[in-house]
Amino acid sequence: MNSENSNTKWGQFISLVSVFFFWGFVGSANDILIPVFKKVFTLSQVQSQLVAWAFYAAYFVGSIIFFLISLKSDVLQKFGYKKTLAAGLTLSAFGSFLFVPAATMESFTFFLTALFTVGLGFSIQQIVANPLAIKMGSPATGAHRLTLAGGVNSFGTTIGAILLGIALFGMGNNKKTALSLEDIKLPFIILGCAFIVVALFMLFSKIEDPVKQEEAKIEHGHKNFSILDYPQLYLGMLAIFIYVGTEVTIISNLPALLKTNEFGNILEEAIPPFIALYWGSLMIGRWNGGVNVFDTSKTTNMLLKFIVPAIAFGVIIFTNIIAEHEVSAFYIYPIWILFFILMSFIGGKNAGKTLMLFGFSGLAMMFIGLIYPDREIAKFFFISGGLFLSIMWPSIFDLAIAGLGKNTGKASSFLIMMILGGGVIPLIQGRICDFDLTSPEGIFGISWTHFSYIIPLLGFAYLAFYGFYCPKILRKQGITHIETEGSSH
């Protein structure tokens, strides 16, 4: 029985991670839709960003609705993880099919409604799938299972934009110059059908329902659930808000940074390789973190910690070369990857320690990026933030829901709400960047756009604090699995 509870249930886990793939796929597809809608509907840049806002707002609204329903009757307790997850997938399928009438009517508002509906379904899926991935085996490797799922998410992010781009624009000599909303229909019909297939697969899968097994060891009265009873949760909510915001703001403002005189006036057409390197950095980190889930010897684990990031970096370089991007400047980047690997060894399988170390590492990278005199090198310090952010989501999630028992569903809905940070924090950094328009002399001898990276620096500082402080909170509650370097078997 003990073996059953401690080993990762691979058959069930692989079924689950297909959902994570779709989140990444649609998330990166949004990056294609924004410029398409901007051109077709003649939108301003702010109006085109409503695509991203619709997506983030859906997570926020969906989480609030889920929580309010759970107050009356806990959704996960009543319906179980599988049925709730299938319902979220069905809602996203409905949203995908709405793209067809939206394209027929050529209505930007209808498109936003369709995307919002897909996002609502995603919010339910996130609330269920994140804790479910953590519970599919040993508590000591829960965060690493979520990291591995995040690696699948990153793979979806990598190919989502490419595949939608091919569907809309063609490829090679057959590329289209005229954009047609009609071309959007087929990809989203296929996506909707895929959601339904996965929903049916989930319903009939052998995934065990943790709700039927778990008993809340620590209860502060789940009928009158209060966030204030769980400091690990409300501090974790702020951590998720800051984490998502920091992840998005580094890359959202990078094109503006690279376009400044001090960073070489890099134009828009030369920006994609740097964006690929940033998102690829998250993939490197997540693939590396996922190694801890596998039941391997210490020697094999150590070798994989070097081999897997090397393969992931090779994927980034290879895809850029295929796209005929100049990447010779990237060959210095393994220096940052090696430092990341060193930190992952020190952090081990301890969620709190890893979060603290990566928080301090990210803070250091942002600080060096602000003061390093060679701007050719400085930009890589900012991009490397992706490496240290890569495993933070599962570490925060694992810490924040520890000891919540039957309130896990409610807690998860609050954490997913905080994805809203991805829509708020980039605006704050962007506002600092805009000071260059009125005060071109800059501050402390650097441009305001360069100085704006103080925002992710502060974000990393809080994340390091949460990693340091949360295990102390949990210890007081008698919860120790989070801070134990358990093995994967």
Side-chain angles (χ1 to χ4, degrees):
M1 184 70 183
N2 184 47
S3 171
E4 182 67 25
N5 288 336
S6 60
N7 288 336
T8 296
K9 301 173 178 72
W10 285 112
Q12 301 171 23
F13 182 71
I14 291 167
S15 303
L16 181 67
V17 293
S18 62
V19 179
F20 285 78
F21 173 84
F22 283 122
W23 299 341
F25 188 97
V26 176
S28 65
N30 288 344
D31 296 331
I32 297 291
L33 292 176
I34 288 171
V36 169
F37 289 159
K38 185 179 179 182
K39 187 169 184 178
V40 171
F41 294 112
T42 323
L43 305 173
S44 68
Q45 183 62 19
V46 172
Q47 288 171 326
S48 71
Q49 293 302 307
L50 288 171
V51 171
W53 269 102
F55 207 55
Y56 284 120
Y59 276 105
F60 186 69
V61 172
S63 301
I64 289 177
I65 293 170
F66 188 94
F67 175 73
L68 292 175
I69 294 171
S70 291
L71 282 178
K72 191 171 184 182
S73 176
D74 192 288
V75 175
L76 292 183
Q77 292 290 316
K78 188 172 182 179
F79 297 106
Y81 283 68
K82 282 201 298 187
K83 287 181 181 176
T84 309
L85 191 57
L89 284 158
T90 304
L91 185 57
S92 290
F94 177 66
S96 300
F97 294 138
L98 286 179
F99 273 78
V100 176
T104 302
M105 295 169 65
E106 297 186 354
S107 167
F108 181 55
T109 305
F110 205 151
F111 274 119
L112 292 182
T113 304
L115 196 59
F116 182 83
T117 308
V118 173
L120 278 179
F122 278 12
S123 70
I124 296 170
Q125 294 165 45
Q126 288 257 20
I127 289 166
V128 179
N130 284 285
L132 187 55
I134 289 173
K135 291 170 187 291
M136 279 186 169
S138 166
T141 52
H144 300 297
R145 263 189 303 283
L146 203 48
T147 300
L148 190 61
V152 176
N153 175 270
S154 294
F155 181 63
T157 305
T158 304
I159 70 168
I162 295 170
L163 291 179
L164 186 61
I166 291 170
L168 295 181
F169 309 117
M171 59 188 297
N173 296 325
N174 298 319
K175 281 200 171 180
K176 304 171 187 173
T177 52
L179 293 174
S180 170
L181 293 179
E182 287 294 312
D183 295 327
I184 289 176
K185 290 181 179 180
L186 183 59
F188 279 91
I189 289 172
I190 294 170
L191 188 64
C193 291
F195 282 135
I196 289 174
V197 170
V198 176
L200 291 170
F201 183 71
M202 282 291 157
L203 283 174
F204 296 107
S205 71
K206 292 182 178 179
I207 292 176
E208 293 174 20
D209 217 319
V211 167
K212 295 173 183 175
Q213 306 162 357
E214 66 187 15
E215 287 182 18
K217 293 180 181 177
I218 297 174
E219 287 285 340
H220 295 279
H222 68 272
K223 288 186 178 178
N224 297 309
F225 172 71
S226 171
I227 296 176
L228 298 178
D229 288 335
Y230 304 97
Q232 68 266 40
L233 177 57
Y234 60 74
L235 293 175
M237 288 168 62
L238 181 57
I240 289 287
F241 184 91
I242 289 173
Y243 157 73
V244 179
T246 301
E247 180 185 283
V248 175
T249 200
I250 289 174
I251 192 62
S252 291
N253 292 286
L254 189 71
L257 178 75
L258 297 180
K259 207 172 179 182
T260 60
N261 290 332
E262 58 183 320
F263 277 84
N265 289 307
I266 298 174
L267 298 176
E268 286 82 0
E269 57 267 25
I271 295 290
F274 295 100
I275 294 175
L277 183 61
Y278 177 76
W279 290 116
S281 294
L282 278 105
M283 182 172 70
I284 290 169
R286 287 167 177 173
W287 285 16
N288 178 72
V291 168
N292 286 335
V293 176
F294 297 99
D295 189 4
T296 59
S297 66
K298 282 191 175 181
T299 306
T300 305
N301 183 277
M302 185 173 288
L303 285 171
L304 287 172
K305 288 279 190 178
F306 287 96
I307 294 169
V308 170
I311 292 171
F313 183 64
V315 168
I316 298 164
I317 296 296
F318 181 68
T319 51
N320 271 298
I321 288 173
I322 287 177
E324 298 182 358
H325 293 147
E326 174 55 49
V327 290
S328 58
F330 291 3
Y331 296 141
I332 193 176
Y333 198 64
I335 294 172
W336 283 268
I337 297 173
L338 285 171
F339 180 72
F340 162 80
I341 293 169
L342 175 64
M343 289 297 105
S344 72
F345 277 128
I346 298 171
K349 298 179 180 181
N350 181 322
K353 187 178 178 184
T354 299
L355 185 58
M356 179 181 70
L357 280 171
F358 281 19
F360 279 127
S361 298
L363 186 157
M365 294 301 132
M366 296 303 110
F367 180 72
I368 297 170
L370 285 168
I371 64 169
Y372 202 81
D374 186 344
R375 303 302 189 236
E376 283 295 309
I377 304 297
K379 61 175 173 279
F380 290 111
F381 282 101
F382 293 134
I383 290 170
S384 74
L387 288 169
F388 301 102
L389 286 163
S390 61
I391 56 80
M392 284 191 172
W393 172 279
S395 295
I396 296 166
F397 219 97
D398 203 6
L399 291 163
I401 67 171
L404 270 291
K406 291 178 182 176
N407 288 317
T408 297
K410 297 188 187 80
S412 186
S413 68
F414 274 108
L415 291 168
I416 301 306
M417 251 180 244
M418 294 298 104
I419 289 176
L420 189 66
V424 175
I425 291 177
L427 295 178
I428 298 171
Q429 185 175 351
R431 184 69 188 92
I432 295 174
C433 293
D434 283 342
F435 287 145
D436 275 330
L437 299 173
T438 53
S439 180
E441 67 277 7
I443 182 173
F444 303 131
I446 61 176
S447 68
W448 281 101
T449 301
H450 190 180
F451 177 73
S452 73
Y453 276 80
I454 192 78
I455 296 299
L457 183 152
L458 294 172
F460 277 117
Y462 177 78
L463 295 167
F465 161 76
Y466 183 69
F468 166 76
Y469 187 61
C470 191
K472 296 181 184 298
I473 295 169
L474 297 177
R475 244 195 326 266
K476 288 180 183 176
Q477 298 176 7
I479 303 162
T480 56
H481 84 258
I482 297 295
E483 54 177 334
T484 303
E485 272 198 42
S487 69
S488 58
H489 58 276

